[in-house]
Amino acid sequence: MTGRPNNELLQKLSTHDFELLAPHLQSVELPSSHILHHAGDSIGAVHFPCGPTFVSFAVPVEDDREVESLLVGREGAVGLPAGRGPSLAYARIVVKVGGSVLRLPLRAFEQAQQRSASLHDLFARYAACQLAQLLQTAACNAAHSIEQRAAKWILAAQEHLGGDEIPLTHEQLAGMLGVSRSYASRVIQMLKARRILATRRGAILILDGPALQASACACNVTVKKHFREVLGHS
């Protein structure tokens, strides 16, 4: 691989640092609902979503339910090691919207970090940003209404996809919010009644972006600001 892929984290690398990784990057096409890791799996590779592809982290809770805590798209990576030694997945990591993903063996990634302090620094700063994103999600779940959180997740998906049609079912939205499907459906119906959203089979359509933004909490904006401050612009 010689050209830069459509992943903002890889685009931030210096030419030297990218060349350390490029021979080991494998481009794969993954479908929606493809599971990269189950909770407890050993992680053997770092994955870089490209273009509109994005994945979600679903954390298991009681009653065989899962709550989605993180979305990662072309701005980042999945499977970064937390330290030396075996790396285990804490959540189920699943492709939410399919497409191109670059796979990098974990061993090659660790060797490249040992050879370049600047590469190590960039990924350490990204890991700090991802932690901040998780902390913001925890605060959001405690402080904001279901409607605010639903609007936030839909806007986040829109940013990753770059369009107003979001391939998201009521059941998937319920999983993101950690509520029942019927509760998620009621929230969608309220937003439809205000002509902010419409639905079609397997998808949500954004009719009024500014109104949806006004219905959402500010958590996405806060996280994006932190990413810019820590990582800089692409």
Side-chain angles (χ1 to χ4, degrees):
M1 178 174 293
T2 55
R4 293 295 179 102
N6 189 9
N7 174 277
E8 294 171 13
L9 200 55
L10 293 176
Q11 290 173 356
K12 292 178 187 295
L13 295 174
S14 68
T15 300
H16 173 264
D17 287 346
F18 180 71
E19 289 175 350
L20 290 176
L21 301 181
H24 308 284
L25 291 169
Q26 176 191 9
S27 180
V28 294
E29 293 291 322
L30 299 180
S32 298
S33 301
H34 176 83
I35 297 175
L36 289 174
H37 300 289
H38 289 282
D41 283 354
S42 178
I43 297 177
V46 180
H47 291 87
F48 298 89
C50 297
T53 308
F54 67 92
V55 305
S56 69
F57 287 58
V59 180
V61 293
E62 296 85 358
D63 304 323
D64 295 323
R65 291 186 298 126
E66 292 180 326
V67 178
E68 297 200 17
S69 59
L70 188 67
L71 294 181
V72 178
R74 62 181 176 273
E75 80 287 345
V78 176
L80 296 175
R84 295 190 176 185
S87 184
L88 300 178
Y90 187 77
R92 186 171 67 95
I93 305 174
V94 60
V95 178
K96 185 62 67 175
V97 171
S100 178
V101 175
L102 290 172
R103 180 178 292 148
L104 175 67
L106 191 57
R107 181 60 179 160
F109 175 73
E110 292 172 335
Q111 290 175 338
Q113 286 197 108
Q114 292 170 3
R115 294 173 61 185
S116 170
S118 59
L119 187 147
H120 182 276
D121 175 68
L122 175 67
F123 282 97
R125 286 187 284 127
Y126 173 71
C129 285
Q130 203 169 64
L131 175 59
Q133 191 173 2
L134 286 167
L135 291 173
Q136 189 69 43
T137 297
C140 180
N141 289 345
H144 297 138
S145 70
I146 300 296
E147 181 180 330
Q148 287 175 305
R149 290 165 51 205
K152 178 198 72 170
W153 279 119
I154 294 169
L155 287 167
Q158 181 193 36
E159 287 195 14
H160 285 97
L161 293 169
D164 292 334
E165 182 172 346
I166 314 300
L168 188 68
T169 65
H170 290 202
E171 185 173 358
Q172 289 171 325
L173 182 62
M176 288 180 167
L177 299 172
V179 299
S180 67
R181 186 188 184 283
S182 61
Y183 201 147
S185 295
R186 287 200 299 271
V187 171
I188 293 297
Q189 290 301 322
M190 286 190 296
L191 294 171
K192 287 175 65 175
R194 291 157 54 191
R195 300 187 182 277
I196 295 175
L197 299 178
T199 57
R200 63 175 60 164
R201 186 173 179 82
I204 293 173
L205 306 177
I206 300 174
L207 302 179
D208 190 338
L212 184 63
Q213 188 73 57
S215 299
C217 58
C219 290
N220 282 350
V221 176
T222 301
V223 168
K224 286 163 61 178
K225 180 176 181 291
H226 186 72
F227 266 66
R228 288 195 299 268
E229 291 172 345
V230 176
L231 291 175
H233 294 279
S234 296

